[in-house]
Amino acid sequence: MKITTRPITLTINGKKQGPHDIAEGMMMIDFLHEYVNLTGSRLGCGQGVCHACVVIEDQPDGSSQETRTCITGAHYFDGKAIRTVEGHAVLNDKGEEVPSPVQQAFMDHYSFQCGYCTPGFVNAATVFIEGLKRNPIARDELENAILKAMNNHICRCTGYVRYYEAVRDLVLKTPGLIRETNNG
């Protein structure tokens, strides 16, 4: 039996990747791990339930969304731009890696235990924060908005409270994400 392959070219963490000739039907998680050595996204359930595998899919209009890589074929991403957990930290002027605000908030709150789910939570929180930058919400809507943004992610160590607290604190201390009233 011959395996059918097709090329894929995409942008990952701001860098063009490809073309890579890969098997049709290969899941994106496998492409990330095996072809571009980005192993931060985790294969948890393999059924799209736990969300440990999500990447950020950047849309042409500047918005972003989470996409599960364990149930999404790599060829879906051909021509698209994505970000993985490895793409969040930046280098400072000394060449040292500095965590993103979300990553730092999670560390400040000791949000994770084993850390297996952390990449998915980092990506979810990043998409949430980016959404608030585009469309701030009223302060009284914040708790429900965090629940909605993070609710699909499973943490088997039950670290949910600390993840939620970290996101809430980051939102509250970041100017421009919250409107004080529903009318403003």
Side-chain angles (χ1 to χ4, degrees):
M1 180 172 113
K2 183 179 181 208
I3 296 176
T4 305
T5 62
R6 284 189 296 146
I8 180 175
T9 302
L10 70 158
T11 302
I12 303 174
N13 300 328
K15 297 177 184 165
K16 183 180 176 191
Q17 295 286 336
H20 295 280
D21 199 33
I22 64 168
E24 287 187 3
M26 175 180 278
M27 292 298 114
M28 186 59 163
I29 190 87
D30 296 322
F31 173 79
L32 291 171
H33 289 193
E34 301 299 326
Y35 282 80
V36 292
N37 199 31
L38 294 173
T39 58
S41 299
R42 306 288 191 214
L43 179 61
C45 66
Q47 300 173 352
V49 175
C50 75
H51 291 243
C53 69
V54 299
V55 295
I56 299 173
E57 183 181 343
D58 292 315
Q59 302 299 312
D61 68 359
S63 66
S64 58
Q65 68 184 32
E66 298 175 65
T67 304
R68 295 169 287 178
T69 62
C70 73
I71 60 169
T72 306
H75 285 99
Y76 165 82
F77 295 95
D78 190 36
K80 296 185 181 209
I82 65 168
R83 288 176 279 157
T84 67
V85 71
E86 292 92 345
H88 293 289
V90 296
L91 296 178
N92 67 14
D93 56 354
K94 297 177 186 174
E96 302 163 330
E97 198 169 65
V98 178
S100 74
V102 169
Q103 291 170 317
Q104 188 62 56
F106 284 177
M107 288 187 288
D108 292 346
H109 283 265
Y110 304 100
S111 296
F112 44 87
Q113 290 180 37
C114 81
Y116 204 82
C117 65
T118 303
F121 274 97
V122 167
N123 286 335
T126 300
V127 167
F128 178 62
I129 299 287
E130 289 174 356
L132 293 180
K133 287 178 181 176
R134 294 170 60 94
N135 188 20
I137 61 172
R139 170 65 178 95
D140 62 352
E141 297 172 2
L142 180 59
E143 300 302 322
N144 285 334
I146 294 171
L147 285 172
K148 183 178 178 185
M150 310 292 276
N151 199 41
N152 288 328
H153 291 262
I154 295 174
C155 171
R156 299 197 189 281
C157 301
T158 67
Y160 298 105
V161 171
R162 291 182 176 172
Y163 282 121
Y164 290 91
E165 288 173 348
V167 172
R168 182 183 60 236
D169 288 354
L170 180 58
V171 169
L172 291 174
K173 78 176 191 181
T174 304
L177 304 183
I178 295 291
R179 291 181 281 118
E180 290 307 317
T181 66
N182 276 322
N183 297 329

